[in-house]
Amino acid sequence: MQLKTFVSQLLAAFALVTVVALGAPASAQQINPTANSVQEQQLLDALQGQGTVSGRVSIPDQRSADLIKPGNPGWANLHNGTVSTLSIVAILGTLGLLTLFFLIRGRIRVESGMSGRMIPRFNAIERFAHWMLAASFIVLAISGLNLVIGRAVIRPIIGEGAFGTLTAWGKLAHNYLAWPFMVALALVFLFWVVHNIPNRIDLQWIKQGGGILKKGAHPPAGKFNFGQKLIFWAVVLGGAALSFTGIMLLFPAETATPADWQLFQIIHGVVAALLSAVIIAHIYIGTVGMEGAFDAMGKGEVDINWAKEHHALWVEEVEARESRPRGRAATPAE
Ligand code: HEM
Protein backbone atom coordinates (compact mmCIF):
# COMPACT_ATOMS: atom_id res chain seq x y z
CA MET A 1 0.00 0.00 0.00
CA GLN A 2 2.80 2.32 0.97
CA LEU A 3 4.76 1.34 -2.15
CA LYS A 4 1.68 2.04 -4.29
CA THR A 5 1.32 5.51 -2.76
CA PHE A 6 5.00 6.22 -3.30
CA VAL A 7 4.83 5.12 -6.98
CA SER A 8 1.73 7.22 -7.65
CA GLN A 9 3.35 10.26 -5.99
CA LEU A 10 6.48 9.72 -8.08
CA LEU A 11 4.41 9.55 -11.28
CA ALA A 12 2.54 12.73 -10.31
CA ALA A 13 5.81 14.57 -9.65
CA PHE A 14 7.23 13.35 -13.00
CA ALA A 15 4.11 14.52 -14.79
CA LEU A 16 4.37 17.94 -13.14
CA VAL A 17 8.03 18.32 -14.04
CA THR A 18 7.27 17.33 -17.67
CA VAL A 19 4.43 19.85 -17.94
CA VAL A 20 6.59 22.63 -16.52
CA ALA A 21 9.53 21.71 -18.73
CA LEU A 22 7.39 21.62 -21.88
CA GLY A 23 5.59 24.79 -20.92
CA ALA A 24 8.74 26.79 -20.24
CA PRO A 25 9.89 27.45 -23.85
CA ALA A 26 6.36 28.46 -24.81
CA SER A 27 6.15 31.10 -22.09
CA ALA A 28 9.72 32.33 -22.74
CA GLN A 29 8.68 33.18 -26.30
CA GLN A 30 6.01 35.58 -25.05
CA ILE A 31 7.67 38.97 -25.12
CA ASN A 32 6.45 41.67 -22.82
CA PRO A 33 8.04 44.81 -24.28
CA THR A 34 7.31 46.88 -21.21
CA ALA A 35 8.98 44.51 -18.75
CA ASN A 36 12.04 45.93 -17.03
CA SER A 37 14.22 42.94 -17.77
CA VAL A 38 13.45 42.59 -21.48
CA GLN A 39 16.57 42.60 -23.64
CA GLU A 40 16.81 44.61 -26.85
CA GLN A 41 17.81 41.50 -28.82
CA GLN A 42 14.72 39.59 -27.60
CA LEU A 43 12.52 42.40 -28.89
CA LEU A 44 14.27 42.47 -32.26
CA ASP A 45 13.97 38.67 -32.55
CA ALA A 46 10.27 38.90 -31.77
CA LEU A 47 9.92 41.67 -34.35
CA GLN A 48 11.42 39.42 -37.03
CA GLY A 49 8.87 36.72 -36.16
CA GLN A 50 5.59 38.50 -35.66
CA GLY A 51 6.12 41.71 -37.58
CA THR A 52 5.01 44.12 -34.81
CA VAL A 53 5.86 44.63 -31.18
CA SER A 54 3.92 47.27 -29.30
CA GLY A 55 4.77 48.70 -25.91
CA ARG A 56 2.88 51.15 -23.74
CA VAL A 57 2.90 54.96 -24.07
CA SER A 58 1.09 57.65 -22.11
CA ILE A 59 0.60 60.03 -25.04
CA PRO A 60 -2.53 59.87 -27.23
CA ASP A 61 -0.71 58.65 -30.34
CA GLN A 62 -0.62 54.86 -29.89
CA ARG A 63 1.49 54.43 -33.03
CA SER A 64 4.46 55.80 -31.12
CA ALA A 65 4.35 52.60 -29.02
CA ASP A 66 5.27 50.44 -32.04
CA LEU A 67 8.84 49.25 -32.17
CA ILE A 68 10.42 50.34 -35.45
CA LYS A 69 11.93 47.51 -37.45
CA PRO A 70 15.57 48.23 -38.28
CA GLY A 71 15.24 47.89 -42.03
CA ASN A 72 18.76 49.11 -42.72
CA PRO A 73 21.45 46.94 -41.14
CA GLY A 74 24.18 49.48 -41.97
CA TRP A 75 22.45 52.00 -39.75
CA ALA A 76 23.23 50.26 -36.47
CA ASN A 77 26.92 50.10 -37.35
CA LEU A 78 26.94 53.71 -38.49
CA HIS A 79 25.13 54.88 -35.39
CA ASN A 80 26.98 52.80 -32.85
CA GLY A 81 30.36 52.87 -34.53
CA THR A 82 30.93 55.84 -36.81
CA VAL A 83 28.92 58.51 -34.97
CA SER A 84 30.38 57.63 -31.57
CA THR A 85 33.95 57.46 -32.94
CA LEU A 86 33.47 60.77 -34.77
CA SER A 87 32.12 62.39 -31.57
CA ILE A 88 35.08 61.25 -29.50
CA VAL A 89 37.65 62.21 -32.16
CA ALA A 90 36.04 65.63 -32.78
CA ILE A 91 35.88 66.54 -29.09
CA LEU A 92 39.21 65.13 -27.91
CA GLY A 93 40.93 66.30 -31.13
CA THR A 94 39.72 69.88 -30.62
CA LEU A 95 40.73 69.86 -26.95
CA GLY A 96 44.18 68.53 -27.97
CA LEU A 97 44.66 71.17 -30.67
CA LEU A 98 43.58 73.96 -28.32
CA THR A 99 46.00 72.77 -25.64
CA LEU A 100 48.78 72.76 -28.23
CA PHE A 101 47.77 76.24 -29.43
CA PHE A 102 47.75 77.54 -25.85
CA LEU A 103 51.21 76.08 -25.18
CA ILE A 104 52.63 77.68 -28.36
CA ARG A 105 50.82 81.02 -28.48
CA GLY A 106 49.73 81.49 -24.87
CA ARG A 107 46.88 83.84 -24.00
CA ILE A 108 46.20 86.52 -26.61
CA ARG A 109 46.81 89.71 -24.62
CA VAL A 110 45.64 93.28 -25.17
CA GLU A 111 49.04 94.54 -26.35
CA SER A 112 48.43 98.23 -25.65
CA GLY A 113 47.21 97.32 -22.15
CA MET A 114 43.76 97.87 -20.67
CA SER A 115 42.73 101.55 -20.71
CA GLY A 116 39.86 101.28 -18.25
CA ARG A 117 37.60 103.09 -20.77
CA MET A 118 34.73 100.83 -21.79
CA ILE A 119 32.64 100.76 -24.96
CA PRO A 120 29.21 99.02 -25.11
CA ARG A 121 29.26 95.84 -27.24
CA PHE A 122 26.12 93.75 -26.61
CA ASN A 123 22.89 94.94 -24.99
CA ALA A 124 20.96 92.94 -22.36
CA ILE A 125 18.60 91.26 -24.85
CA GLU A 126 21.50 90.12 -27.04
CA ARG A 127 23.31 88.71 -24.00
CA PHE A 128 20.13 87.00 -22.77
CA ALA A 129 19.71 85.31 -26.17
CA HIS A 130 23.39 84.30 -26.26
CA TRP A 131 23.34 82.74 -22.77
CA MET A 132 20.04 80.97 -23.42
CA LEU A 133 21.57 79.53 -26.60
CA ALA A 134 24.81 78.65 -24.80
CA ALA A 135 23.23 77.03 -21.72
CA SER A 136 20.72 74.99 -23.71
CA PHE A 137 23.35 73.90 -26.26
CA ILE A 138 25.80 72.74 -23.59
CA VAL A 139 23.17 70.58 -21.83
CA LEU A 140 21.89 69.27 -25.19
CA ALA A 141 25.43 68.40 -26.29
CA ILE A 142 26.32 66.57 -23.07
CA SER A 143 23.02 64.69 -22.78
CA GLY A 144 23.15 63.82 -26.50
CA LEU A 145 26.73 62.61 -26.23
CA ASN A 146 25.66 60.38 -23.34
CA LEU A 147 23.08 58.74 -25.62
CA VAL A 148 25.79 58.00 -28.19
CA ILE A 149 28.79 56.93 -26.10
CA GLY A 150 27.41 56.71 -22.54
CA ARG A 151 26.71 52.98 -22.60
CA ALA A 152 30.28 52.18 -23.62
CA VAL A 153 32.15 54.92 -21.74
CA ILE A 154 30.11 56.11 -18.73
CA ARG A 155 28.18 52.97 -17.67
CA PRO A 156 31.33 50.98 -16.80
CA ILE A 157 32.54 53.88 -14.62
CA ILE A 158 29.39 54.84 -12.67
CA GLY A 159 27.49 51.54 -12.79
CA GLU A 160 24.17 50.40 -14.23
CA GLY A 161 21.82 52.12 -11.73
CA ALA A 162 23.40 55.57 -11.76
CA PHE A 163 23.78 55.40 -15.54
CA GLY A 164 20.07 54.56 -15.92
CA THR A 165 19.00 57.50 -13.75
CA LEU A 166 21.43 59.88 -15.46
CA THR A 167 20.31 58.83 -18.92
CA ALA A 168 16.59 59.10 -18.09
CA TRP A 169 17.07 62.69 -16.78
CA GLY A 170 19.38 63.50 -19.67
CA LYS A 171 16.80 62.35 -22.21
CA LEU A 172 14.11 64.50 -20.57
CA ALA A 173 16.43 67.52 -20.54
CA HIS A 174 17.32 66.85 -24.18
CA ASN A 175 13.69 66.73 -25.31
CA TYR A 176 12.65 69.88 -23.45
CA LEU A 177 15.74 72.10 -23.85
CA ALA A 178 15.55 71.69 -27.62
CA TRP A 179 12.77 74.34 -27.58
CA PRO A 180 14.62 77.21 -25.80
CA PHE A 181 17.61 76.35 -28.01
CA MET A 182 15.52 76.91 -31.14
CA VAL A 183 14.05 80.17 -29.82
CA ALA A 184 17.50 81.49 -28.87
CA LEU A 185 18.91 80.40 -32.23
CA ALA A 186 16.23 82.39 -34.06
CA LEU A 187 16.90 85.48 -31.88
CA VAL A 188 20.68 85.33 -32.32
CA PHE A 189 20.18 84.97 -36.09
CA LEU A 190 17.91 88.02 -36.23
CA PHE A 191 20.16 90.18 -34.01
CA TRP A 192 23.49 89.43 -35.68
CA VAL A 193 22.91 88.37 -39.28
CA VAL A 194 23.60 91.91 -40.60
CA HIS A 195 27.09 91.86 -39.05
CA ASN A 196 27.90 88.43 -40.43
CA ILE A 197 27.56 88.90 -44.17
CA PRO A 198 31.02 88.17 -45.65
CA ASN A 199 32.67 91.19 -47.35
CA ARG A 200 35.99 92.28 -48.93
CA ILE A 201 37.56 93.24 -45.61
CA ASP A 202 37.43 89.57 -44.62
CA LEU A 203 40.05 88.83 -47.32
CA GLN A 204 42.67 90.69 -45.28
CA TRP A 205 41.75 88.71 -42.19
CA ILE A 206 42.07 85.46 -44.16
CA LYS A 207 45.44 86.54 -45.68
CA GLN A 208 46.85 87.25 -42.21
CA GLY A 209 45.40 84.05 -40.74
CA GLY A 210 43.34 86.19 -38.38
CA GLY A 211 46.55 87.54 -36.87
CA ILE A 212 46.17 84.98 -34.12
CA LEU A 213 49.50 83.26 -34.63
CA LYS A 214 51.69 86.40 -34.70
CA LYS A 215 51.85 88.96 -31.93
CA GLY A 216 51.20 92.51 -33.10
CA ALA A 217 49.21 91.44 -36.19
CA HIS A 218 45.72 92.91 -36.08
CA PRO A 219 43.81 92.63 -39.35
CA PRO A 220 41.00 95.21 -39.51
CA ALA A 221 37.52 93.92 -38.67
CA GLY A 222 34.01 95.21 -38.21
CA LYS A 223 31.73 94.09 -35.37
CA PHE A 224 32.60 90.45 -36.15
CA ASN A 225 35.81 89.26 -37.79
CA PHE A 226 35.86 86.48 -40.40
CA GLY A 227 36.58 83.77 -37.81
CA GLN A 228 33.53 84.85 -35.84
CA LYS A 229 31.46 84.92 -39.01
CA LEU A 230 32.42 81.29 -39.59
CA ILE A 231 31.32 80.45 -36.05
CA PHE A 232 28.06 82.36 -36.52
CA TRP A 233 27.18 80.47 -39.72
CA ALA A 234 28.24 77.14 -38.25
CA VAL A 235 25.92 77.79 -35.30
CA VAL A 236 23.03 79.02 -37.46
CA LEU A 237 23.22 76.33 -40.17
CA GLY A 238 24.29 73.53 -37.82
CA GLY A 239 21.64 74.59 -35.30
CA ALA A 240 18.97 74.64 -38.02
CA ALA A 241 19.99 71.13 -39.18
CA LEU A 242 19.92 69.88 -35.59
CA SER A 243 16.52 71.48 -35.03
CA PHE A 244 14.99 69.99 -38.20
CA THR A 245 16.33 66.48 -37.68
CA GLY A 246 15.57 66.70 -33.94
CA ILE A 247 11.89 67.47 -34.61
CA MET A 248 11.75 64.53 -37.03
CA LEU A 249 13.21 62.28 -34.34
CA LEU A 250 10.79 63.55 -31.69
CA PHE A 251 7.71 62.84 -33.81
CA PRO A 252 8.66 59.81 -35.90
CA ALA A 253 5.14 58.59 -36.67
CA GLU A 254 4.04 61.91 -38.18
CA THR A 255 7.15 62.89 -40.03
CA ALA A 256 9.13 60.09 -41.58
CA THR A 257 9.49 56.49 -42.65
CA PRO A 258 11.76 54.32 -40.48
CA ALA A 259 14.53 54.59 -43.09
CA ASP A 260 14.29 58.42 -43.11
CA TRP A 261 14.26 58.37 -39.34
CA GLN A 262 17.50 56.43 -39.23
CA LEU A 263 19.09 58.84 -41.71
CA PHE A 264 17.96 61.82 -39.60
CA GLN A 265 19.49 60.18 -36.55
CA ILE A 266 22.86 59.85 -38.29
CA ILE A 267 22.75 63.47 -39.57
CA HIS A 268 21.75 64.67 -36.08
CA GLY A 269 24.71 62.85 -34.50
CA VAL A 270 27.29 63.95 -37.09
CA VAL A 271 26.23 67.64 -37.04
CA ALA A 272 26.15 67.62 -33.22
CA ALA A 273 29.70 66.22 -33.06
CA LEU A 274 31.08 68.79 -35.53
CA LEU A 275 29.26 71.74 -33.96
CA SER A 276 30.42 70.69 -30.49
CA ALA A 277 34.03 70.84 -31.72
CA VAL A 278 33.44 74.37 -33.11
CA ILE A 279 31.81 75.47 -29.85
CA ILE A 280 34.67 74.14 -27.72
CA ALA A 281 37.04 76.34 -29.76
CA HIS A 282 34.60 79.27 -29.37
CA ILE A 283 34.42 78.84 -25.59
CA TYR A 284 38.22 78.67 -25.43
CA ILE A 285 38.62 82.02 -27.27
CA GLY A 286 35.82 83.62 -25.23
CA THR A 287 37.45 82.67 -21.89
CA VAL A 288 41.09 81.61 -21.36
CA GLY A 289 42.23 82.14 -24.97
CA MET A 290 41.82 85.90 -25.25
CA GLU A 291 42.22 88.57 -22.61
CA GLY A 292 39.24 90.93 -22.36
CA ALA A 293 36.90 88.90 -24.63
CA PHE A 294 34.56 87.53 -21.94
CA ASP A 295 33.52 91.05 -20.84
CA ALA A 296 31.64 91.43 -24.13
CA MET A 297 29.12 88.77 -23.08
CA GLY A 298 29.63 89.08 -19.31
CA LYS A 299 29.23 92.83 -18.76
CA GLY A 300 28.08 93.80 -22.25
CA GLU A 301 31.00 96.24 -22.68
CA VAL A 302 34.67 95.91 -23.61
CA ASP A 303 37.83 97.89 -23.04
CA ILE A 304 38.38 100.39 -25.85
CA ASN A 305 41.96 99.12 -26.42
CA TRP A 306 40.69 95.53 -26.82
CA ALA A 307 38.09 96.79 -29.28
CA LYS A 308 40.66 98.82 -31.29
CA GLU A 309 43.00 95.83 -31.57
CA HIS A 310 40.38 93.28 -32.60
CA HIS A 311 37.54 95.28 -34.18
CA ALA A 312 39.10 98.58 -35.33
CA LEU A 313 36.51 99.29 -38.05
CA TRP A 314 33.65 98.70 -35.63
CA VAL A 315 35.17 101.21 -33.14
CA GLU A 316 35.45 103.78 -35.96
CA GLU A 317 31.79 103.18 -36.85
CA VAL A 318 30.62 103.55 -33.24
CA GLU A 319 32.68 106.70 -32.68
CA ALA A 320 31.48 108.23 -35.94
CA ARG A 321 27.88 107.45 -34.98
CA GLU A 322 28.33 109.02 -31.55
CA SER A 323 29.98 112.20 -32.79
CA ARG A 324 27.34 112.66 -35.49
CA PRO A 325 24.92 115.47 -34.55
CA ARG A 326 21.47 114.12 -33.73
CA GLY A 327 17.98 115.55 -34.30
CA ARG A 328 16.75 118.92 -35.57
CA ALA A 329 18.48 121.06 -32.98
CA ALA A 330 21.88 119.86 -34.18
CA THR A 331 21.18 120.38 -37.88
CA PRO A 332 23.16 123.42 -39.07
CA ALA A 333 21.01 126.32 -40.29
CA GLU A 334 20.98 126.87 -44.04
C1 HEM B 1 30.62 79.05 -21.66
C2 HEM B 1 30.28 79.17 -22.91
C3 HEM B 1 30.43 80.38 -23.78
C4 HEM B 1 31.17 81.51 -23.62
C5 HEM B 1 32.09 81.88 -22.46
C6 HEM B 1 30.93 82.37 -24.76
C7 HEM B 1 31.47 83.62 -24.95
C8 HEM B 1 31.19 84.45 -26.00
C9 HEM B 1 31.72 85.78 -26.16
C10 HEM B 1 32.65 86.47 -25.19
C11 HEM B 1 31.22 86.28 -27.32
C12 HEM B 1 31.45 87.68 -27.89
C13 HEM B 1 32.69 87.79 -28.71
C14 HEM B 1 32.92 89.20 -29.17
O1 HEM B 1 32.66 90.14 -28.44
O2 HEM B 1 33.38 89.39 -30.28
C15 HEM B 1 30.39 85.27 -27.91
C16 HEM B 1 29.73 85.37 -29.12
C17 HEM B 1 28.99 84.38 -29.71
N1 HEM B 1 28.66 83.16 -29.13
FE1 HEM B 1 29.34 82.45 -27.37
N2 HEM B 1 30.06 81.72 -25.60
C18 HEM B 1 29.73 80.52 -25.05
C19 HEM B 1 28.91 79.54 -25.58
C20 HEM B 1 28.29 79.64 -26.80
C21 HEM B 1 27.50 78.61 -27.40
C22 HEM B 1 27.25 77.22 -26.76
C23 HEM B 1 27.06 79.07 -28.59
C24 HEM B 1 26.20 78.42 -29.63
C25 HEM B 1 25.70 77.23 -29.59
C26 HEM B 1 27.59 80.40 -28.76
C27 HEM B 1 27.38 81.20 -29.86
C28 HEM B 1 27.92 82.45 -30.04
C29 HEM B 1 27.79 83.22 -31.26
C30 HEM B 1 27.05 82.78 -32.53
C31 HEM B 1 28.47 84.42 -31.05
C32 HEM B 1 28.66 85.55 -32.08
C33 HEM B 1 29.78 85.21 -33.02
C34 HEM B 1 31.12 85.13 -32.35
O3 HEM B 1 31.48 86.01 -31.57
O4 HEM B 1 31.80 84.14 -32.60
N3 HEM B 1 28.33 80.72 -27.64
N4 HEM B 1 30.38 84.18 -27.08
Side-chain angles (χ1 to χ4, degrees):
M1 193 62 181
Q2 268 189 339
L3 182 69
K4 206 176 156 193
T5 314
F6 174 73
V7 170
S8 63
Q9 279 176 349
L10 196 68
L11 282 174
F14 179 72
L16 185 67
V17 168
T18 312
V19 167
V20 170
L22 289 175
S27 59
Q29 282 169 3
Q30 294 298 314
I31 296 294
N32 174 4
T34 55
N36 285 338
S37 60
V38 74
Q39 296 287 314
E40 188 180 13
Q41 194 53 48
Q42 284 177 288
L43 290 174
L44 294 179
D45 290 346
L47 195 60
Q48 297 301 333
Q50 14 178 140
T52 56
V53 170
S54 290
R56 195 176 55 223
V57 288
S58 54
I59 57 172
D61 185 0
Q62 286 306 308
R63 282 176 306 165
S64 61
D66 294 344
L67 185 64
I68 295 177
K69 193 173 195 164
N72 173 5
W75 163 77
N77 293 339
L78 253 178
H79 185 246
N80 299 337
T82 315
V83 174
S84 45
T85 311
L86 178 76
S87 307
I88 295 172
V89 170
I91 291 168
L92 294 184
T94 309
L95 287 173
L97 286 176
L98 288 173
T99 310
L100 199 69
F101 179 74
F102 183 74
L103 292 175
I104 297 170
R105 174 66 169 88
R107 193 168 203 216
I108 299 171
R109 299 271 173 201
V110 177
E111 281 159 22
S112 46
M114 294 293 196
S115 70
R117 213 185 110 211
M118 305 300 273
I119 170 173
R121 183 138 172 90
F122 296 112
N123 65 30
I125 303 169
E126 287 174 300
R127 280 179 285 140
F128 171 76
H130 172 269
W131 289 121
M132 180 154 104
L133 184 72
S136 55
F137 180 85
I138 290 168
V139 179
L140 286 165
I142 293 172
S143 55
L145 189 66
N146 180 48
L147 293 178
V148 179
I149 62 165
R151 206 187 291 187
V153 178
I154 298 171
R155 188 170 65 168
I157 301 170
I158 64 171
E160 186 98 24
F163 176 70
T165 311
L166 181 84
T167 305
W169 282 106
K171 185 75 184 78
L172 263 182
H174 203 88
N175 289 353
Y176 285 100
L177 286 177
W179 305 100
F181 171 79
M182 287 186 260
V183 172
L185 185 69
L187 290 177
V188 159
F189 174 74
L190 290 175
F191 293 156
W192 296 337
V193 66
V194 283
H195 305 294
N196 282 287
I197 311 292
N199 55 34
R200 289 178 61 217
I201 296 153
D202 296 328
L203 292 175
Q204 289 191 47
W205 191 95
I206 298 167
K207 265 189 219 151
Q208 294 186 40
I212 48 174
L213 288 174
K214 237 175 50 197
K215 285 185 183 157
H218 294 297
K223 177 133 184 171
F224 293 120
N225 63 38
F226 186 67
Q228 290 177 299
K229 289 179 184 177
L230 289 180
I231 291 181
F232 175 84
W233 288 110
V235 168
V236 167
L237 299 177
L242 286 172
S243 306
F244 173 75
T245 50
I247 290 173
M248 297 292 150
L249 295 175
L250 267 179
F251 305 106
E254 278 76 14
T255 50
T257 65
D260 291 340
W261 192 84
Q262 289 162 352
L263 179 69
F264 290 143
Q265 199 177 27
I266 303 293
I267 296 174
H268 198 77
V270 170
V271 175
L274 298 178
L275 190 56
S276 298
V278 170
I279 290 302
I280 291 172
H282 169 72
I283 293 174
Y284 168 79
I285 284 286
T287 52
V288 282
M290 182 184 275
E291 185 183 17
F294 186 81
D295 286 344
M297 274 305 160
K299 298 181 189 160
E301 51 184 26
V302 287
D303 194 280
I304 190 84
N305 285 357
W306 178 91
K308 279 181 181 161
E309 286 182 16
H310 299 295
H311 301 276
L313 301 177
W314 171 69
V315 177
E316 280 171 22
E317 260 172 52
V318 174
E319 286 180 342
R321 210 181 309 139
E322 274 170 11
S323 61
R324 206 176 296 149
R326 275 189 220 135
R328 281 177 138 229
T331 311
E334 298 271 323

